Amino acid sequence: MTAAPDREEPSGTPAADRRTRVTVLVALGANLLIAVAKAVGGLVTGSPALLSEAAHSVADSLNEVFLLAALRRSRRPADRRHPFGYGKERFFWSLLAAVGIFVMGGCFSFFQGVEALRSDTEESFGGYVAGLAVLGVALLAEGASLLRAVHQARGERGKGTAGGTGALRDPALRTVIAEDGTAVLGVTLAIVGMALHMVTGQVVWEASASIAIGALLVCVAFWLGRDARAQLIGEAADPELSREIRGLLAAQPEIDSVEALFTMKMGLDSTLVAARIDLVPGLDSERVEEVAVRIKRSVAHAVPEVGEIFLDVTDAAAKEAAQSPAATGERGGA
């Protein structure tokens, strides 16, 4: 039997969730403070880029609340109504976070940019200074939150499945990294737009920055939403994990061949496995049951990510005979 690779605290375990919760709380605190500062600065100065960034921070704050709910609810144990557990709660709340980024951040930023082009407002020199100061503080805070999330992702990169992608499988951590990375880039665009507005006197620069922030948020929301959708509708396990499970099954002495293998992610640390296997000849019914139980325990022990295993014992030779031209009435090839 092939040896299973070492796994240390994969993403989705309680310890990893605690670290992710701290990362989300850090991001939430930073976004709340920044949102208030941006909103006050935007209302005082009338800056469209600053107001767009305020909407961005409000959307990020609401999304962090969604992610905290995901971390808490996805750890609930299985029950009669949900026999496979609540792991997919994580993907649902991540989808809501993506929708929040799109609606509250992207759409409002587009609106602010278009309104700025239509109104062609002017700002005082003091307004520019206040706005740039707020954005500078926001850049430092968002950068610190991003460094915290990236540090956690790097620390857990090698602790998941084979291939070292464990940390980024967590939609909560992935969303925080995407939000903070987008926030840093968005604040940079706002600073550039406001600075060019101050130098040239043309509001088109700041309006363009607001529209660019909106486009950036829409792209990030689409990316996060696409991943959450794929996982909600039943995404297969990673190819490395599927190959490992197939290899473990094929290495069992009682299994003659693995005819089919189906996997589906039920959560970060839970994968459903259904396999159609052909056993070696000569096993009676009682022996088949014992073998099936032993194989399930062996695979579950070697691959902790596997939550449920279903084995369908089939006769490959009989199946091939049933599908032959003689059995089906079809004409065979020459």
Side-chain angles (χ1 to χ4, degrees), residues 37-47 50-51 122-124 126-128 130-131:
K38 289 176 180 176
V40 172
L43 292 174
V44 171
T45 64
S47 167
L50 204 52
L51 289 174
E122 290 291 335
E123 299 176 25
S124 64
Y128 288 122

Side-chain angles (χ1 to χ4, degrees), residues 133-176:
V134 170
L135 289 174
V137 173
L139 184 61
L140 293 175
E142 297 284 10
S145 179
L146 176 62
L147 288 176
R148 158 76 195 188
V150 171
H151 175 73
Q152 180 184 343
R154 286 180 175 176
E156 297 180 7
R157 184 175 293 275
K159 297 180 180 180
T161 59
T165 59
L168 293 183
R169 292 189 307 130
D170 188 343
L173 184 57
R174 187 169 62 243
T175 301
V176 171

Side-chain angles (χ1 to χ4, degrees), residues 7-313:
R7 287 177 177 82
E8 302 175 10
E9 226 177 68
S11 294
T13 60
D17 278 1
R18 284 193 293 271
R19 289 192 295 270
T20 301
R21 187 176 292 107
V22 172
T23 299
V24 173
L25 287 172
V26 169
L28 175 60
N31 280 319
L32 286 174
L33 292 175
I34 294 168
V36 173
K38 289 176 180 176
V40 172
L43 292 174
V44 171
T45 64
S47 167
L50 204 52
L51 289 174
S52 296
E53 275 299 301
H56 182 183
S57 295
V58 170
D60 285 351
S61 300
L62 181 61
N63 292 339
E64 259 88 60
V65 175
F66 288 157
L67 298 180
L68 289 173
L71 291 172
R72 181 176 61 85
R73 295 177 66 87
S74 65
R75 301 305 306 181
R76 290 184 296 172
D79 53 33
R80 181 175 297 179
R81 292 188 62 188
H82 297 86
F84 294 106
Y86 290 82
K88 287 195 174 185
E89 285 262 17
R90 223 172 184 110
F91 310 139
F92 169 75
W93 291 99
S94 297
L95 180 62
L96 289 187
V99 173
I101 293 175
F102 177 83
V103 175
M104 297 184 62
C107 294
F108 186 79
S109 295
F110 277 123
F111 172 77
Q112 283 298 124
V114 172
E115 281 296 305
L117 288 175
R118 291 176 56 187
S119 60
D120 194 19
T121 56
E122 290 291 335
E123 299 176 25
S124 64
F125 180 77
Y128 288 122
V129 173
L132 290 173
V134 170
L135 289 174
V137 173
L139 184 61
L140 293 175
E142 297 284 10
S145 179
L146 176 62
L147 288 176
R148 158 76 195 188
V150 171
H151 175 73
Q152 180 184 343
R154 286 180 175 176
E156 297 180 7
R157 184 175 293 275
K159 297 180 180 180
T161 59
T165 59
L168 293 183
R169 292 189 307 130
D170 188 343
L173 184 57
R174 187 169 62 243
T175 301
V176 171
I177 292 176
E179 286 180 349
D180 289 343
T182 305
V184 169
L185 185 54
V187 171
T188 303
L189 289 173
I191 290 174
V192 172
M194 185 175 289
L196 289 174
H197 187 187
M198 180 176 65
V199 173
T200 64
Q202 300 294 321
V203 73
V204 65
W205 294 107
E206 200 165 346
S208 298
S210 183
I211 293 173
I213 292 169
L216 179 64
L217 292 174
V218 167
C219 290
V220 171
F222 173 79
W223 174 64
L224 292 173
R226 182 189 60 185
D227 285 352
R229 171 185 172 274
Q231 293 164 327
L232 278 173
I233 64 177
E235 188 177 39
D238 298 329
E240 295 90 346
L241 183 60
S242 295
R243 284 194 293 270
E244 182 184 350
I245 294 171
R246 180 180 285 273
L248 287 168
L249 291 173
Q252 303 297 321
E254 298 88 355
I255 295 180
D256 191 35
S257 63
V258 180
E259 298 300 312
L261 178 67
F262 305 97
T263 62
M264 184 169 63
K265 295 178 182 177
M266 304 304 295
L268 288 186
D269 55 350
S270 178
T271 300
L272 183 146
V273 175
R276 187 175 296 121
I277 59 175
D278 180 25
L279 298 178
V280 297
L283 296 178
D284 57 32
S285 58
E286 292 185 0
R287 177 65 175 153
V288 167
E289 185 175 353
E290 293 175 1
V291 167
V293 172
R294 188 192 62 77
I295 291 174
K296 290 179 182 180
R297 289 176 178 173
S298 177
V299 174
H301 177 74
V303 187
E305 289 91 339
V306 174
E308 297 287 345
I309 307 173
F310 299 93
L311 299 179
D312 178 20
V313 179

